[in-house]
Amino acid sequence: IVVITHELDVVRELADRVVVMSAGRVVEQGSTYDFFSAPASEVGRAFVAATLRDRPSPEDLERLRAGHPGRIVTADVVDDAGESGGVGSVLSRAAQHGVSFELLFGGISALQSRVFGALTIELRGVDAGIDAVIAELRAITRVEETAK
């Protein structure tokens, strides 16, 4: 069955695979899980961001920045974190680097029996320790740091 829709909630419920088109061309295709957890195209990222809302909007980031002076990062959460563990495992070791953290924003979803999403976190401590935590996160997932 082929379903053509802009309603990504329908896609999440029905589809095993996704093809994204823009201006009459295929710009992305793959499993539904891969599409939602790590969209490869700009169009795909825009669709997923509008559907999941697991990342703060620019206005939310501005508000968060005003109340949280530490370094703010957003880390993708994926089901296949491997031996090193996931984002939670890295954060549980943050104190070893002299870093504390606070969860500021995020969302975790399940699709095709696997989890994915994003967490926005404030990291506080010395820069070298924070750099070490961010490096550990980047070794297992995509991380975006918010400019001050």
Side-chain angles (χ1 to χ4, degrees):
I1 298 173
V2 174
V3 176
I4 300 172
T5 182
H6 287 92
E7 296 293 330
L8 291 189
D9 287 330
V10 171
V11 172
R12 285 179 65 174
E13 289 297 317
L14 297 178
D16 293 322
R17 298 193 50 77
V18 174
V19 174
V20 178
M21 297 185 71
S22 179
R25 296 188 183 275
V26 172
V27 295
E28 178 173 359
Q29 61 182 318
S31 76
T32 304
Y33 178 83
D34 289 342
F35 171 70
F36 278 95
S37 65
S41 67
E42 191 61 41
V43 172
R45 285 188 289 278
F47 275 135
V48 170
T51 301
L52 296 181
R53 303 187 199 288
D54 60 354
R55 297 171 186 277
S57 68
E59 296 79 21
D60 287 332
L61 271 176
E62 188 176 316
R63 180 185 51 78
L64 292 170
R65 169 69 41 225
H68 299 277
R71 287 170 59 185
I72 296 177
V73 299
T74 298
D76 287 355
V77 175
V78 292
D79 201 37
D80 53 355
E83 291 180 23
S84 61
V87 171
S89 295
V90 172
L91 293 175
S92 71
R93 297 187 301 269
Q96 296 172 359
H97 298 287
V99 173
S100 61
F101 68 91
E102 182 178 351
L103 179 61
L104 303 178
F105 198 96
I108 307 295
S109 297
L111 181 63
Q112 297 177 331
S113 301
R114 297 168 68 194
V115 297
F116 67 96
L119 297 175
T120 299
I121 307 153
E122 176 193 24
L123 300 170
R124 294 179 306 274
V126 297
D127 281 337
I130 294 171
D131 290 341
V133 171
I134 292 172
E136 284 187 42
L137 288 169
R138 284 195 169 123
I140 62 167
T141 193
R142 187 171 63 99
V143 178
E144 297 173 16
E145 186 167 359
T146 302
K148 289 187 177 188

